[in-house]
Amino acid sequence: MSRRIVGPEIERLIQLLAKMPGLGPRSARRAALHLIKKKEQLFEPLSAAMADALDRVRVCSVCGNVDTADPCTICTDPCREAGVLIVVEEVADLWALERASAMNVRYHVLGGTLSPLDGVGPDDLNIKGLVGRVAEGGVSEVILAVNATVEGQATAHYIIDQMAGMDVKVTRLAHGVPVGGELDYLDEGTLAAALKSRTSF
Amino acid sequence: MSRRIVGPEIERLIQLLAKMPGLGPRSARRAALHLIKKKEQLFEPLSAAMADALDRVRVCSVCGNVDTADPCTICTDPCREAGVLIVVEEVADLWALERASAMNVRYHVLGGTLSPLDGVGPDDLNIKGLVGRVAEGGVSEVILAVNATVEGQATAHYIIDQMAGMDVKVTRLAHGVPVGGELDYLDEGTLAAALKSRTSF
């Protein structure tokens, strides 16, 4: 706003809200007003929940997931198969895979991908931890669920090299047509991969 | 999420973030992860700013604006013309008019519109405060900047009735073509109003 029309505390709240993904300067103002209007129902509980989460959030020392416990809820879940690890780039990928509820296994979060141009080397990622978990034994399969990007694939190949000689099966996600997707809108690479990996009825 | 994969504190944070305007369940998860990832740069300052704003925010006893001071920054601004009051429904409308920077005056926030069906009568709005401010003297013009809805117009007429006999000019916003708008997309009512209120070059 051109002229100062609210106190510095609200101004600062708007500025910080605007840095959240999905909110811009305009929607941050709307969000701040909404919070102020719903003081008891939303502003107070949200502020308390933020302070609470901020106080308790930590990175799991086993898998790199974020949680309020260390080891995290997933790593300590006795109902999960411990012999299979799904390797993901980010915690968001872990959450996405959990929403699919396809496998009841554990994870390993790398914290990014190898990217020499950005100065991200193997030591900047949680790869040593992965190798350590596999070396400890008890892991029969490592599923590399990295993104299908150049960096993701380079990271996958680096990990495969590190696993060489270890008694573990390394697999990757299938390429193919997204469920519900229309062929007309798919790129040639995906179509070629889907044809190559065709399955029989 | 179907299975419990994060601690209750993070789960609760996601649930509350999802209640913000502009965020849904999915983007709330993204926002929570973003906060956790940018702990020092965003999560900590935002949590502090929230607690700070929550602690200090109050409703201006003069005009009904929200601010961290009472009377608010606008009411105490000596550079603003005190003789003109712009009456708005909500604080969001006040902020929108301030962005236009067209007039350097003061405001009066009603807190809604008359709506008998929803049980909102004159006593539920900040109308008495407006009449009191005008009765005190020093106000030469009241601009009714309520929305161009049935409820907004009904509220405007009620206020005009309350001002009857007082030495004050009551005006309303002009109807017309939005700046940058195309005639083709405008409704008949707006076009008729724009023609009726045509101005000479």
Side-chain angles (χ1 to χ4, degrees):
Chain A
M1 275 161 262
S2 43
R3 290 172 290 184
R4 175 72 155 285
I5 64 162
V6 286
E9 293 87 357
I10 299 179
E11 200 80 77
R12 183 160 167 72
L13 176 63
I14 294 170
Q15 276 168 12
L16 287 167
L17 282 174
K19 291 186 185 170
M20 301 254 288
L23 293 181
R26 208 176 184 118
S27 45
R29 264 199 301 269
R30 250 181 77 220
L33 263 184
H34 185 79
L35 285 174
I36 291 169
K37 247 191 130 168
K38 306 239 167 198
K39 204 176 162 195
E40 279 85 26
Q41 304 104 295
L42 185 57
F43 201 3
E44 284 173 4
L46 180 59
S47 179
M50 279 210 162
D52 213 20
L54 186 57
D55 184 43
R56 307 209 43 183
V57 77
R58 56 212 68 218
V59 174
C60 176
S61 56
V62 178
C63 74
N65 185 17
V66 290
D67 201 349
T68 48
D70 179 19
C72 72
T73 313
I74 292 178
C75 283
T76 53
D77 185 348
C79 304
R80 283 172 188 263
E81 206 182 318
V84 179
L85 292 184
I86 301 184
V87 177
V88 292
E89 292 177 16
E90 302 286 353
V91 176
D93 303 327
L94 186 165
W95 289 13
L97 286 166
E98 274 298 303
R99 281 201 296 280
S101 298
M103 291 186 87
N104 202 21
V105 297
R106 299 199 176 152
Y107 293 86
H108 194 86
V109 182
L110 296 174
T113 48
L114 293 178
S115 179
L117 285 177
D118 300 319
V120 182
D123 293 338
D124 301 310
L125 303 179
N126 192 8
I127 293 179
K128 273 212 187 86
L130 174 64
V131 174
R133 284 177 84 180
V134 175
E136 265 176 25
V139 177
S140 58
E141 182 175 357
V142 168
I143 304 173
L144 297 178
V146 290
N147 290 329
T149 57
V150 175
E151 290 86 2
Q153 295 310 306
T155 311
H157 283 290
Y158 180 84
I159 292 173
I160 292 168
D161 285 348
Q162 299 295 306
M163 299 280 164
M166 289 175 129
D167 183 23
V168 65
K169 195 165 100 186
V170 182
T171 55
R172 62 164 195 186
L173 295 185
H175 285 306
V177 182
V179 176
E182 292 183 43
L183 298 193
D184 199 13
Y185 292 98
L186 275 174
D187 63 294
E188 295 77 17
T190 304
L191 284 173
L195 273 175
K196 209 172 138 194
S197 310
R198 66 193 178 277
T199 55
S200 57
F201 271 103
Chain B
M1 275 161 262
S2 43
R3 290 171 291 183
R4 175 71 155 285
I5 64 162
V6 287
E9 295 86 357
I10 300 179
E11 200 80 76
R12 183 160 166 72
L13 176 64
I14 295 171
Q15 276 168 11
L16 287 167
L17 282 173
K19 292 186 185 169
M20 303 256 286
L23 291 182
R26 207 176 184 116
S27 46
R29 263 199 301 269
R30 250 180 77 219
L33 262 184
H34 185 79
L35 286 175
I36 292 170
K37 245 190 130 168
K38 308 240 167 195
K39 203 175 163 195
E40 278 84 28
Q41 305 103 294
L42 185 57
F43 201 2
E44 282 172 5
L46 180 59
S47 180
M50 279 211 161
D52 213 20
L54 185 58
D55 184 45
R56 307 209 42 184
V57 77
R58 54 213 69 218
V59 173
C60 176
S61 56
V62 177
C63 73
N65 186 15
V66 291
D67 200 352
T68 47
D70 179 20
C72 72
T73 314
I74 292 178
C75 283
T76 52
D77 185 347
C79 304
R80 284 171 189 264
E81 208 182 315
V84 179
L85 293 184
I86 302 184
V87 177
V88 291
E89 293 177 16
E90 301 287 353
V91 176
D93 304 326
L94 185 164
W95 288 15
L97 287 165
E98 274 297 304
R99 281 202 296 279
S101 298
M103 292 187 85
N104 201 21
V105 296
R106 299 199 176 153
Y107 292 86
H108 194 86
V109 182
L110 296 175
T113 48
L114 292 178
S115 178
L117 283 177
D118 300 319
V120 181
D123 292 337
D124 301 310
L125 303 178
N126 193 6
I127 293 178
K128 274 212 185 87
L130 174 64
V131 175
R133 284 175 84 179
V134 175
E136 266 177 24
V139 177
S140 58
E141 181 176 357
V142 168
I143 304 174
L144 297 178
V146 290
N147 290 329
T149 55
V150 174
E151 290 85 6
Q153 297 310 306
T155 311
H157 284 290
Y158 180 85
I159 293 173
I160 292 167
D161 285 349
Q162 299 296 306
M163 299 280 164
M166 289 175 128
D167 184 25
V168 64
K169 195 165 100 185
V170 182
T171 55
R172 63 166 195 184
L173 296 184
H175 284 307
V177 182
V179 176
E182 291 183 45
L183 298 194
D184 199 13
Y185 292 99
L186 275 175
D187 62 294
E188 296 77 17
T190 305
L191 285 174
L195 273 175
K196 208 172 138 195
S197 310
R198 66 194 178 277
T199 55
S200 57
F201 270 102

